[in-house]
Amino acid sequence: MLKGIGYLLFGVGLCFMSPKFVKQYRKDKNIENILEVIGVILLAASSILLGVLEFL
């Protein structure tokens, strides 16, 4: 259960950080920034999903 809470907190933290990466992508539209945005979104979604699955 503690691992699940950790995964959820990590995912929520990444969700709150993602607007920073989107803002940076809008400023400089290059492949490196779009890959960072995609990576942060996928990492946040997967850690939230993993946290939910730890509770089941």
Side-chain angles (χ1 to χ4, degrees):
M1 183 167 161
L2 191 60
K3 256 193 328 187
I5 293 172
Y7 286 133
L8 285 174
L9 287 175
F10 182 71
V12 170
L14 282 176
C15 287
F16 284 130
M17 283 178 44
S18 63
K20 180 186 88 162
F21 290 103
V22 172
K23 190 183 296 183
Q24 183 179 357
Y25 167 71
R26 287 185 178 161
K27 190 175 71 172
D28 303 330
K29 291 188 178 183
N30 58 15
I31 190 73
E32 180 181 349
N33 288 338
I34 196 167
L35 289 176
E36 282 182 356
V37 170
I38 291 171
V40 165
I41 291 171
L42 287 176
L43 186 61
S46 65
S47 64
I48 289 173
L49 181 66
L50 192 58
V52 169
L53 289 177
E54 284 286 327
F55 284 112
L56 297 180

